[in-house]
């Protein structure tokens, strides 16, 4: 009687841990589980100004480009973002594709949770369908899309790369716009300063009636020197006559000439260095205005050069998403691996049955 009870208990345990799970596995993998198709593509984000030491990057460097790993992470994060999913849903109706009745209820979107069809639930579902692997050595990104038809897997992969290319182009445009826009703004400011400095100098010349006080004062000083030489000659001749011919009729005319020259020298000297209207006084203000104009002109030239450099840099620093392996339409379902799933269920059931049998035998022995 006891042996019969033990056999029944052991049979019940075996059926619970091995037979039933294996049968359920056969039913699921054999009749319920939908085929899963996988579309794979590979790409690299490259830039002319980024450097890397990987062999693939060395190859790109030979073509004038190099891989840009930081930007590859940007593209990866974007592919896994809600924005990317939103675009995919708009273009390919992702929600309808994965909630189709042709997909088994266990893998279907909102299959077991009919009430939760929110975008957030779709996003969590989407993360399980997209795999992105970035090789840190080669900077090559592998994109894997899982779907329940070969056509859908291919279309989603192709569309995801397409919108990522649009993202890279947008980043290029924003970078160029910011770089060139800032340089252009600086040029406009410098142009206004140069115009203001030139206008200020022109107004000063018109108000004071001078063109270049330094050059004009040079001319005036040359005239003063010439008058001084004439004065010295006249004074020497006057002293000579007063010494040796006191009654010479030329003495009065020489004295008048000396006084005239002294007066003219005083006038010419005053025009150069004396009073508020002198050239020396005007030269200080003129030099300040001329210096401001020269500085403004140099600043304008510098900003124009910076603008040209910014334009060249904007063109040189563009990012490129280069496809290495194009998305392909799978011709065979890669999952689920039905036989392996059934065997796994059977083996795990046998292990569970063996462990529980040992534990139950130990409990009985302890009770006896």
């Amino acid at each position: 009687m006891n042996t019969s009870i033990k056999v029944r208990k052991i049979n019940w345990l075996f059926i619970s841990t091995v037979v039933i799970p294996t049968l359920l596995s056969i039913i699921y993998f054999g009749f319920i589980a939908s085929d899963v198709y996988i579309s794979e593509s590979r790409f690299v984000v490259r830039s002319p100004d980024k450097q890397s030491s990987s062999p693939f990057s060395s190859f790109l460097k030979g073509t004038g480009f190099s891989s840009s790993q930081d930007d590859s992470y940007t593209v990866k994060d974007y592919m896994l973002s809600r924005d990317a999913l939103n675009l995919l849903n708009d273009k390919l109706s992702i929600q309808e594709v994965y909630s189709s009745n042709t997909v088994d209820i266990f893998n279907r979107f909102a299959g077991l949770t009919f009430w939760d069809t929110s975008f957030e639930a779709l996003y969590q579902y989407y993360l399980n369908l997209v795999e992105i692997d970035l090789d840190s050595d080669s900077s090559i990104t592998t994109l894997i899309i899982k779907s329940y038809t070969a056509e859908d897997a291919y279309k989603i992969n192709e569309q995801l790369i397409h919108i990522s290319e649009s993202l890279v182009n947008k980043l290029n445009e924003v970078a160029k716009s910011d770089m060139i826009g800032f340089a252009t703004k600086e040029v406009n400011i410098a142009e206004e300063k140069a115009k203001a400095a030139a206008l200020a100098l022109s107004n000063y010349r018109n108000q004071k009636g001078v063109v270049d006080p330094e050059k004009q004062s040079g001319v005036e000083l040359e005239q003063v020197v010439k008058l001084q030489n004439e004065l010295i000659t006249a004074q020497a001749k006057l002293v000579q006559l007063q010494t040796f011919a006191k009654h010479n009729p030329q003495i009065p005319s020489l004295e008048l000439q000396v006084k005239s020259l002294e007066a003219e020298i005083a006038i010419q000297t005053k025009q150069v260095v004396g009073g508020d209207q002198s050239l020396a006084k005007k030269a200080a203000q003129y030099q300040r205005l001329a210096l401001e104009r020269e500085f403004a002109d140099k600043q304008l030239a510098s900003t124009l050069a910076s603008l040209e450099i910014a334009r060249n840099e904007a063109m040189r620093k563009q990012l490129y998403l280069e496809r290495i392996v194009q998305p392909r339409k799978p011709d065979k379902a890669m999952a689920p691996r039905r036989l392996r799933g059934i065997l796994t269920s059977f083996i795990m059931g046998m292990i569970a049955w063996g462990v529980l049998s040992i534990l139950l035998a130990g409990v009985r022995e302890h009770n006896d």
Side-chain angles (χ1 to χ4, degrees):
M1 182 67 179
N2 291 336
T3 302
S4 177
I5 294 173
K6 289 180 180 179
V7 171
R8 284 197 297 271
K9 287 184 178 178
I10 291 173
N11 288 341
W12 175 85
L13 181 62
F14 182 80
I15 291 171
S16 300
T17 57
V18 179
V19 176
I20 293 177
T22 303
L23 287 174
L24 291 175
S25 179
I26 292 172
I27 293 171
Y28 175 73
F29 286 108
F31 304 99
I32 298 177
S34 300
D35 289 335
V36 177
Y37 294 87
I38 296 175
S39 177
E40 180 180 311
S41 61
R42 297 183 182 183
F43 62 88
V44 64
V45 179
R46 62 185 190 176
S47 172
D49 64 333
K50 298 287 183 70
Q51 300 299 326
S52 177
S53 58
S54 69
F56 186 78
S57 297
S58 299
F59 168 75
L60 289 177
K61 185 178 179 181
T63 64
F65 298 92
S66 61
S67 60
S68 180
Q69 190 170 4
D70 293 342
D71 297 299
S72 296
Y73 281 111
T74 301
V75 173
K76 176 183 177 180
D77 289 344
Y78 177 73
M79 285 182 168
L80 295 175
S81 69
R82 291 171 176 81
D83 288 346
L85 174 59
N86 193 39
L87 287 174
L88 285 175
N89 200 29
D90 290 341
K91 295 179 179 296
L92 300 177
S93 300
I94 295 296
Q95 184 168 345
E96 295 180 7
V97 168
Y98 287 104
S99 60
S100 171
N101 292 330
T102 59
V103 183
D104 68 81
I105 193 170
F106 298 101
N107 290 311
R108 186 188 311 160
F109 171 62
L112 297 176
T113 55
F114 299 100
W115 62 88
D116 191 1
T117 58
S118 63
F119 182 81
E120 187 61 29
L122 179 63
Y123 176 68
Q124 297 303 321
Y125 181 86
Y126 167 78
L127 293 179
N128 295 322
L129 302 172
V130 180
E131 293 182 14
I132 302 176
D133 179 39
L134 176 59
D135 190 332
S136 58
D137 293 328
S138 64
S139 297
I140 297 176
T141 303
T142 302
L143 173 63
I144 298 174
I145 300 295
K146 300 175 184 177
S147 189
Y148 299 102
T149 67
E151 185 69 21
D152 289 335
Y154 166 74
K155 285 183 178 180
I156 294 171
N157 198 318
E158 174 67 29
Q159 189 63 41
L160 197 53
I161 291 184
H162 178 71
I163 63 176
S164 297
E165 289 172 338
S166 298
L167 170 69
V168 171
N169 293 335
K170 182 179 178 181
L171 293 176
N172 285 331
E173 292 302 320
V174 171
K176 285 197 296 184
S177 177
D178 290 345
M179 189 180 299
I180 296 177
F182 177 79
T184 302
K185 183 179 179 181
E186 291 297 310
V187 169
N188 293 335
I189 294 174
E191 284 181 345
E192 292 299 323
K193 289 183 178 179
K195 289 178 181 178
L199 182 61
L201 184 60
S202 177
N203 291 336
Y204 182 79
R205 283 171 171 169
N206 293 331
Q207 292 174 0
K208 301 299 182 179
V210 294
V211 176
D212 189 336
E214 291 184 351
K215 293 181 179 179
Q216 288 182 253
S217 61
V219 174
E220 296 290 342
L221 288 174
E222 288 179 0
Q223 184 67 24
V224 169
V225 170
K226 183 179 179 181
L227 291 173
Q228 286 178 338
N229 291 333
E230 292 180 2
L231 175 62
I232 292 171
T233 302
Q235 287 177 335
K237 188 175 182 180
L238 177 62
V239 171
Q240 186 179 10
L241 290 176
Q242 287 177 341
T243 302
F244 299 102
K246 295 181 179 181
H247 302 289
N248 192 308
Q250 293 182 357
I251 291 176
S253 62
L254 285 173
E255 289 178 345
L256 182 61
Q257 182 181 0
V258 167
K259 291 180 180 179
S260 175
L261 288 171
E262 289 177 343
E264 185 64 23
I265 289 172
I267 293 173
Q268 294 294 333
T269 303
K270 186 176 181 181
Q271 288 181 353
V272 176
V273 297
D276 293 336
Q277 299 299 320
S278 66
L279 290 175
K281 186 71 173 179
K282 295 176 181 178
Q285 181 69 8
Y286 176 86
Q287 288 175 351
R288 184 182 68 80
L289 294 173
L291 185 62
E292 289 179 355
R293 188 189 67 173
E294 182 181 0
F295 178 77
D297 290 341
K298 288 182 178 179
Q299 189 176 23
L300 176 59
S302 176
T303 55
L304 287 172
S306 298
L307 176 59
E308 186 63 25
I309 292 173
R311 287 172 176 165
N312 294 334
E313 287 293 303
M315 295 300 296
R316 191 174 68 89
K317 290 186 177 181
Q318 284 188 351
L319 298 175
Y320 301 85
L321 192 154
E322 187 71 20
R323 301 187 188 192
I324 299 175
V325 177
Q326 294 286 352
R328 65 179 184 87
K329 184 177 179 180
D331 56 2
K332 179 182 177 181
M334 301 301 295
R337 297 184 178 180
R338 302 178 190 277
L339 183 58
R340 187 176 71 173
I342 294 171
L343 289 175
T344 300
S345 299
F346 175 74
I347 293 171
M348 294 301 294
M350 290 294 293
I351 293 173
W353 174 69
V355 172
L356 290 175
S357 297
I358 294 172
L359 291 176
L360 290 175
V363 171
R364 286 195 211 96
E365 183 178 353
H366 178 72
N367 290 335
D368 291 343

